[in-house]
Amino acid sequence: MSFVQVRDHALWVDDIHGGTDLQQRIRDMREGETIDLVVEGVAGTWRRLRDGAGGRSAPGIQAEGEAQSKWHELRNERRGGLATVEICE
């Protein structure tokens, strides 16, 4: 299991601790591609962010649906704290 620092609207690769496989998997995703994760016990779909201006990589993912609501709750309650994260397989 890995941990992620909760600090923004998105889950950023550099904020993942103890999960080099997860970090690499997100880095390898194309913009718009999805991944299913369990964050703090809530399973959900996360979508790779669009790259920035000039093709600058945006190595992060954003939750959808119920997972998004949970992530926003975590962000409000625990900004700067850690949450568990793992790939749904």
Side-chain angles (χ1 to χ4, degrees), residues 3 5 18 21 23 25-26 32 48 50 52-53 56 58 69-73 75-76 78 81 86 88:
F3 297 91
Q5 185 176 14
D21 291 344
Q23 288 174 321
R25 188 148 169 198
I26 294 170
R48 174 72 158 66
R50 292 188 353 212
R56 187 190 55 173
S69 297
K70 178 63 176 176
W71 183 255
H72 288 189
E73 279 179 35
R75 188 188 65 204
N76 292 338
R78 259 191 241 189
E86 58 188 323
C88 290

Side-chain angles (χ1 to χ4, degrees), residues 4-12 15 17 40 68-83:
V4 63
Q5 185 176 14
V6 181
R7 66 179 186 91
D8 200 358
H9 70 282
L11 186 158
W12 298 98
D15 290 337
H17 305 283
E40 282 297 303
Q68 184 179 48
S69 297
K70 178 63 176 176
W71 183 255
H72 288 189
E73 279 179 35
L74 284 170
R75 188 188 65 204
N76 292 338
E77 294 170 2
R78 259 191 241 189
R79 189 177 300 257
L82 296 176

Side-chain angles (χ1 to χ4, degrees), residues 31-32 48-52 56-58 60:
E31 63 181 58
R48 174 72 158 66
L49 297 174
R50 292 188 353 212
D51 289 336
R56 187 190 55 173
S57 178

